[in-house]
Amino acid sequence: DNAPIVLPPFPPPELDLHEVMHDEGGIEASDLSELMMIWSFIRDYGDLFGIKPTNVNMLRQALEDGETSQLLGSVHTLLLKGLLFDAEEAHRIAAAMTVQQERQGIAALLEEAWAWGFDPDTWRAHLNALTWPEVLREYCLAAGYGKRRQPKAAQKARRRKSGLIIGGAGSLGGGTNGGDMDEDMSNGAPSKSILRMPSRFAAGTVKAAAWEVLSKCGADGLTIAQIAIQIQREGLRDLRTSKTPEASVAGALSRDIVFYRVKPSTYCLRSLYIAKRQGTTVILDGVEIMLGTKTEENGEEGDGEGESPGE
């Protein structure tokens, strides 16, 4: 009764199995289960991201090579592109909702990235096999991994990015921090705000064209359809190449904090909306515009509907 139980070898020797991976290498035996899980994910879902099929040994060698591995760079680049697309789509859908609610999960990632001072447009434009480690680091910080940001400092940085601090000392943007408002210091103290297009808006893009149109319509804004018509009429961008031009304009405006949703499907420049509420004089192309008492064209005040511009 006290005899030890002897189990037969597993797998049985008669199967004549061969080793899939050798013991030598930089991957610890305890990490092999995670390696197999990663390989299984790439095998099952790689086609959705455009990842080329690979085997376990190639993936293991890529992990040992680290950042110098072409395979590892390609996998991370394609996965990050998918994550960025999901974040932008979720943020666009949340911004288009009639009833505004606090964004949660991936829908809030873009605003958290702006709060950190990151630019998701730069992530997407410069993501490649060399830059993916830095893009991944910033993405993880925005997603809540790593150190926590200071709320007050982040909120102040985000307001400066969007041109919300009007009447305070110092520059409000001028393009270096992404905003579109500078202070007029000609008299030694800031008394007026100068509206300039952010330098990060490249000429010919939807955002640059929309900024040109909205800078002339005051704080009341225009509907998405009106913006698209004005862009096409003024020749700022040819929207006929898009099957859904209004959707392209709405997506671009909802993803950038420079633009403010006054009411459903109606946008204005956020800095102009804040200037109107504060009664600040804005200078555009050398012409002074007093917001808060009249608009550029008809002298009527806007209704000021929409989410809080400072949030």
Side-chain angles (χ1 to χ4, degrees), residues 24-42:
E24 62 270 11
I27 303 297
E28 300 292 338
S30 59
D31 297 330
L32 292 180
S33 60
E34 295 185 5
L35 175 64
M36 295 299 296
M37 182 177 63
I38 296 172
W39 172 76
S40 177
F41 175 85
I42 294 176

Side-chain angles (χ1 to χ4, degrees), residues 27-306:
I27 303 297
E28 300 292 338
S30 59
D31 297 330
L32 292 180
S33 60
E34 295 185 5
L35 175 64
M36 295 299 296
M37 182 177 63
I38 296 172
W39 172 76
S40 177
F41 175 85
I42 294 176
R43 180 197 62 190
D44 296 338
Y45 303 103
D47 291 342
L48 299 177
F49 297 93
I51 302 175
K52 295 181 180 179
T54 181
N55 57 46
V56 178
N57 283 325
M58 293 173 60
L59 184 59
R60 179 176 181 175
Q61 184 62 45
L63 292 174
E64 293 175 359
D65 293 342
E67 296 180 5
T68 61
S69 169
Q70 184 177 1
L71 174 61
L72 200 63
S74 174
V75 170
H76 280 86
T77 298
L78 294 171
L79 290 176
L80 281 170
K81 285 182 178 179
L83 290 173
L84 291 176
F85 176 82
D86 286 346
E88 293 174 354
E89 183 70 11
H91 187 272
R92 182 189 65 79
I93 294 175
M97 294 176 61
T98 303
V99 179
Q100 291 296 305
Q101 299 177 349
E102 183 180 358
R103 296 182 176 91
Q104 302 290 341
I106 196 169
L109 187 137
L110 293 186
E111 296 204 2
E112 186 67 18
W114 291 325
W116 274 96
F118 303 143
D119 187 357
D121 290 335
T122 302
W123 292 349
R124 184 177 59 255
H126 300 287
L127 180 60
N128 55 50
L130 297 178
T131 61
W132 72 261
E134 176 60 22
V135 174
L136 178 60
R137 183 189 72 84
E138 296 181 1
Y139 183 94
C140 289
L141 285 176
Y145 298 96
K147 65 179 182 179
R148 302 295 179 181
R149 64 178 175 85
Q150 298 295 329
K152 292 183 179 179
Q155 184 179 16
K156 184 177 180 181
R158 184 165 177 260
R159 292 192 176 203
R160 286 191 176 277
K161 184 180 188 301
S162 60
L164 296 180
I165 308 175
I166 298 177
S171 173
L172 293 179
T176 56
N177 59 11
D180 58 357
M181 193 77 79
D182 280 333
E183 296 295 349
D184 181 10
M185 303 293 291
S186 58
N187 296 326
S191 58
K192 302 172 185 177
S193 298
I194 303 175
L195 191 65
R196 294 194 183 101
M197 180 187 296
S199 59
R200 59 189 176 89
F201 287 0
T205 60
V206 174
K207 290 183 180 180
W211 191 96
E212 289 282 0
V213 171
L214 292 177
S215 65
K216 304 172 185 177
C217 70
D220 293 335
L222 296 173
T223 64
I224 294 296
Q226 291 172 331
I227 296 173
I229 292 173
Q230 286 297 113
I231 290 176
Q232 189 67 39
R233 182 177 298 170
E234 298 180 18
L236 299 174
R237 179 182 172 89
D238 188 3
L239 297 177
R240 294 174 296 181
T241 58
S242 175
K243 295 182 179 180
T244 55
E246 294 183 9
S248 300
V249 174
L253 269 58
S254 65
R255 292 195 298 264
D256 202 300
I257 201 170
V258 168
F259 305 101
Y260 172 58
R261 195 172 74 98
V262 182
K263 53 187 176 182
S265 300
T266 303
Y267 285 85
C268 71
L269 294 183
R270 187 180 293 261
S271 51
L272 289 182
Y273 184 82
I274 297 298
K276 177 179 179 179
R277 293 182 62 182
Q278 297 182 355
T280 305
T281 300
V282 175
I283 303 176
L284 176 62
D285 295 333
V287 179
E288 294 188 6
I289 306 170
M290 182 61 186
L291 299 174
T293 57
K294 61 180 180 179
T295 59
E296 289 183 75
E297 298 179 357
N298 53 24
E300 297 177 356
E301 294 187 2
D303 52 13
E305 296 181 3

